[in-house]
Every structure is written in structure tokens, then in C-alpha cells.
Amino acid sequence: MFSYRHAFHAGNHADVLKHAILVQILDYFNRKDAPYWVIDTHAGAGLYALDGEWAGQSGEVVDGLDRLLGAPQPPELVARYLRAVQDFNPDGVANRYPGSPALTLHALRASDKLRLFELHPTEIEVLEDTLRQLDAPRRQVTIAREDGFAGLRRLLPPPTRRGLVLIDPSYEDKQDYRHTLQAVHAGLERFASGCFAVWYPLVQRVQAHEMARALERLPVEWLHATLTVRKPAPDGLGLHGSGMFIINPPWTLREELQAALPWLTRILAQDAHARHTLETSAQRTGPSGTPSPSAKAGLKPRRPAGSPVPAQKRSPSRK
């Protein structure tokens, strides 16, 4: 149950898609003065050392964030995400990767609230330390060592009646697909106007495809984006892509993704099978859109993208 550690995967192609969309949604919420809540059901450690043993051992960042750094003309959704990551690396070198709690805390205003759930005993200790490092105000941020699926119910609807719910379990347990659907159904019953963002992996599991189709049958406004970076492995193992399903999305998100997804597909492609999809409840569309010019982010990768990752021994914990 507690074998998954996101530090191994920090900054990979799935994080790029998930966090670029998260940053855009938070920017949209900040356009209005009214306060809002963000509820993160599976918070993780919050901040990850890309030059540490965990991320360094897997090297997944090489085919994720590292490919974006210095790439020409990123569309605005990507450029904005890179600026957010850069804010956590003031020396200009991408050695730290902010997870969703850190990115969210960075975007929140004094009147907004962040509610975090994390059940992994080691991850929550690291998360608490991360929030201390970031000087997170206690009145603004709370952490619960609890199953986020269960804890979500008692927090909805938020007192402000504005909010974002991020649901992104590891899906190592096949039951997570069913629990995610249940959480979305229950959440909409309590908070029909809320924005729900569901991340899920593109893997060779029937549950992943069934969950996506079930979400698309919901009688609500939604946006569904997927990014595939390579052909699925013959043995069915490994992550060949990921998806983000957003209920009650910002009206600006579709246009930004139409510009960003083709660019991300080209930059993150690992073989000729790379592709993307973008569908909405109003009108389903295939791959489309042209990337728009935008300023480059100033971050530099720790090493050239594609360079070999040095072998390291697994550490039983990361402090």
C-alpha cells in the first residue's frame, strides 16, 4: 500500500501535463477577488530534489521537464508553468521540482485556503517539513494523515462556494479507479459548481479506459486532455502517457490546451506513436491547434536532456 513514492517520478511527462493545467486553473481562479479553497486528495511530499537519490535514480525528469527547458517558443500555458517552476529555483538551475501543494501554495492569496491529504507515513513527514520551509501559514494550510477519498466528503462544499478539487492517486491499487469515480460523484452532489481535476495514467489497464469513459458520461461540463509520449511497452508495464479530466473547467483552458498540446507532443515525443487528444462535453475535437510564441523560461536543466542517468542505490527514505 505504501510502496509508491512520487519522488521517483517527479518532473516526468505526466507531471508536466498535470501541473501545467493546475497552474492555469489557479491563475484563472485568481482573476476574481472572491476567496477559494483548493483540496488536494493525494498531496505527496510537496517538493522534490531532482538532484537527489530518488529522482536521480529513475531519471524520468530527463524525458519530462528537462525537455521543455530551453525549447523554442513554448505556448503560454507551458511558459507560465515553467515560470512557476523557476520560482522554486532562484539560482536558475532546475534542481527542485514543486509538486501540487507547493505550486498551489505559491499561487494562493492570503484569503484562500489549501487542504491537503496524505496517507503515506513518510511522505506526510516530508510534506510537513516542506511546508515549514515554505513558511506556509497555519491558518491557510492544513494537512490530514487520512485517505483523501474519505476526507474529501466532509470538506464539501467549501464555505466560500468557490474551489478546486485535485484528485490524483497513484493508481497502484486498481481500486483507486473506482474510488476516484465515487469521489467525483459524491463531490458533485455536495459541490455541483466546483472545479474537479482528475489526473490518471495511460497504462495497459482496462480500468483506466473504463474510468475515462465513465467520467465522459457525467451530465456536467467537462474537458478531457490526454498526452501520449510513446508506444505502450510489449509487456504492458510503464507509463506511456497520462490524462487530465476537468469538470467545470475555466473557459480559457480549452484554447490554451489547443495551443499547448501539439507543442508538448512534439517536444516530449519518445517515438513516432506520440499523440494527444482534447475533447469537451460540448464538442469533441481531435489533435488541433498551433503553438503560439511566448518568452522562454530562464531555467536550465542539470544536465543535457537525454544524457545517461548515473546509477544510484535506492535509499529507504528521503529527508
Side-chain angles (χ1 to χ4, degrees):
M1 180 179 179
F2 293 132
S3 61
Y4 180 85
R5 299 293 299 278
H6 190 70
F8 281 112
H9 313 288
N12 68 359
H13 58 83
D15 269 358
V16 168
L17 178 67
K18 174 171 61 177
H19 292 144
I21 290 176
L22 172 63
V23 169
Q24 197 279 344
I25 294 175
L26 293 170
D27 281 352
Y28 181 82
F29 269 75
N30 286 338
R31 292 184 180 186
K32 293 184 179 180
D33 293 334
Y36 62 90
W37 281 33
V38 176
I39 303 170
D40 193 336
T41 62
H42 298 79
L47 193 63
Y48 305 94
L50 295 178
D51 55 352
E53 287 187 275
W54 294 80
Q57 180 174 324
S58 69
E60 291 185 22
V61 67
V62 172
D63 285 322
L65 174 66
D66 277 1
R67 290 193 177 207
L68 273 57
L69 301 178
Q73 296 185 322
E76 179 53 32
L77 180 137
V78 178
R80 175 66 184 90
Y81 157 72
L82 291 176
R83 291 195 296 269
V85 175
Q86 184 175 356
D87 287 342
F88 290 87
N89 295 275
D91 61 354
V93 180
N95 284 324
R96 300 202 303 172
Y97 187 81
S100 51
L103 288 169
T104 301
L105 180 62
H106 187 61
L108 294 189
R109 301 147 321 168
S111 59
D112 306 320
K113 305 293 184 183
L114 175 59
R115 300 293 182 257
L116 303 170
F117 292 95
E118 179 53 52
L119 196 56
H120 194 293
T122 305
E123 292 284 84
I124 196 169
E125 290 179 3
V126 180
L127 177 60
E128 290 170 344
D129 183 61
T130 295
L131 293 178
R132 284 192 292 269
Q133 292 180 39
L134 298 177
D135 295 322
R138 292 186 177 181
R139 292 185 178 181
Q140 187 176 32
V141 183
T142 63
I143 309 173
R145 182 175 175 178
E146 183 181 351
D147 176 11
F149 290 127
L152 175 62
R153 294 172 179 265
R154 71 169 184 274
L155 295 183
L156 297 180
T160 59
R161 295 304 193 272
R162 293 187 75 212
L164 165 65
V165 177
L166 176 61
I167 303 175
D168 62 335
S170 68
Y171 297 97
E172 279 202 324
D173 184 347
K174 294 180 181 180
Q175 296 303 314
D176 282 348
Y177 297 97
R178 179 172 60 85
H179 293 157
T180 294
L181 281 174
Q182 292 173 340
V184 169
H185 280 284
L188 286 171
E189 288 179 358
R190 293 167 170 77
F191 188 33
S193 62
C195 180
F196 292 78
V198 177
W199 175 88
Y200 70 95
L202 293 181
V203 290
Q204 298 291 80
R205 275 187 176 180
V206 66
Q207 291 90 345
H209 302 284
E210 289 178 344
M211 186 186 77
R213 300 290 82 80
L215 288 170
E216 289 183 346
R217 290 193 293 270
L218 290 171
V220 294
E221 183 179 353
W222 53 260
L223 183 151
H224 184 195
T226 69
L227 176 63
T228 300
V229 299
R230 61 172 175 83
K231 181 180 180 180
D235 59 8
L237 300 177
L239 183 72
H240 59 267
S242 63
M244 281 288 282
F245 192 94
I246 302 96
I247 294 169
N248 297 323
W251 68 269
T252 55
L253 183 56
R254 179 184 177 185
E255 182 177 353
E256 291 203 31
L257 282 171
Q258 284 179 324
L261 284 172
W263 189 92
L264 286 170
T265 303
R266 177 168 55 87
I267 298 299
L268 296 176
Q270 296 180 23
D271 62 26
H273 295 269
R275 62 188 294 269
H276 66 273
T277 64
L278 181 60
E279 299 179 318
T280 71
S281 52
Q283 179 182 4
R284 298 188 174 190
T285 62
S288 62
T290 302
S292 57
S294 184
K296 290 184 181 180
L299 274 178
K300 299 178 181 179
R302 297 157 312 290
R303 54 187 177 273
S307 61
V309 180
Q312 299 187 38
K313 296 181 179 179
R314 177 174 296 192
S315 172
S317 65
R318 179 171 56 80
K319 298 182 179 179

